[in-house]
Amino acid sequence: MVFKEIIYILKKAKFISVLSGAGISAESGIPTFRGEDGLWKKYRAEELATPQAFERDPVLVWEWYNWRREIIGKAQPNQGHITLAKWESLYPNFWVITQNIDGLHRRAGSKNIVELHGNIWKVRCTREGTIKENTEIPLKELPPKCENCGGFLRPHVVWFGESLDRNDMEKAEEIAISSDVMFVIGTSAVVYPAASLPFLTKRNGGLIVEINLAETPLTSYADFFFKGRSGEILPQLDSELNG
Ligand code: BV8
């Protein structure tokens, strides 16, 4: 894989960002949403990742998250996450904006992270709105209940039809606008408003580097497209960049 041109650009860049999706965690054994083995294959998004689904059948929704928590609990960050964590210390400004809720970027050592869709290890009381960390695997009681008021707890994640946290989205937009380069890694680029971020970078003169197994609706706008596994391509880029 010839990286000459991108290496020159990355050596000059001062502000680098990443928009990551489920694909960056695929090599850690976590199923993606829309791929061959995708989570949506067995379920339909509207059956699970929506407030209406939770209202209708909180146990079914929690069975899905409980199952994902068990998989994620056993998963380790892969070379893709680890390379990005290493790069954070090499650049004056390096941010990861992730759509993933698995927490693997943080476990790999990244610090500058915006978790646009929340975090599977956080739960929120549906009555009081309080947010707590809960790493119980498996959850004994579905749905789990608030110790304080007995109300149902929900995953502290953003479901379809729910707005993203305003501060998170503003921070992500600020990062996208300031980026000399945005890597868009392992995302089908179909979920908004996250998928709008690379266009912000492009509109402000930044470059888009997409890494994916296959082309996406973003590919025709990307300045570089590397076809392949992020867990292989990122370490290859790193060895060219930092020898
Ligand atoms: C909202 C929950 C305001 C957490 C998820 C325009 C503007 C605003 C909103 C919309 C809009 N158009 C439509 C909408 C509505 C909707 C939306 O975008 N729908 C889409 C499907 C059309 N957006 C929303 O509802 C958002 N809310 O905008 O609020 C609002 C309010 C009311 C009404 C309208 C608007 C909320 C979006 C968040 C939804 N929550 N998940 C959870 O349980 O995880 S989204 C779900 O999909 C995941 O969170 C995930 O983050 C997200 C994106 O999926 P990807 O990460 O891209 O994963 P996917 O499997 O799709 O792709 C994996 C990719 O990796 C593939 O390309 C594959 O080729 C690649 N790959 C695989 N292996 C590898 C690899 N690449 C590299 N290496 C590998 N090894």
Side-chain angles (χ1 to χ4, degrees), residues 25 51 70 103 116-117 126-127 130 139 173 202 205-206 208 241:
S25 297
E70 292 207 51
L116 279 185
H117 294 164
T126 52
R127 271 198 212 139
T130 43
L139 285 160
E173 286 166 346
K202 202 142 179 75
I208 303 298
L241 197 57

Side-chain angles (χ1 to χ4, degrees), residues 22 27 33-34 65 68 99 158 161-162 186-188 192 212 230:
E27 290 158 87
F33 289 88
R34 296 169 182 81
Y65 281 93
R68 290 171 68 191
Q99 300 172 86
V158 181
E162 291 187 322
T187 180
S188 53
Y192 283 81
N212 201 308
S230 48

Side-chain angles (χ1 to χ4, degrees), residues 138-173:
L139 285 160
K140 296 202 182 28
E141 187 191 22
L142 299 181
K145 294 198 182 53
C146 173
E147 284 154 15
N148 200 37
C149 72
F152 284 171
L153 298 175
R154 59 163 280 178
H156 183 54
V157 301
V158 181
W159 280 329
F160 287 103
E162 291 187 322
S163 297
L164 280 63
D165 175 275
R166 185 192 305 279
N167 296 334
D168 287 345
M169 197 54 204
E170 279 171 9
K171 180 68 187 164
E173 286 166 346

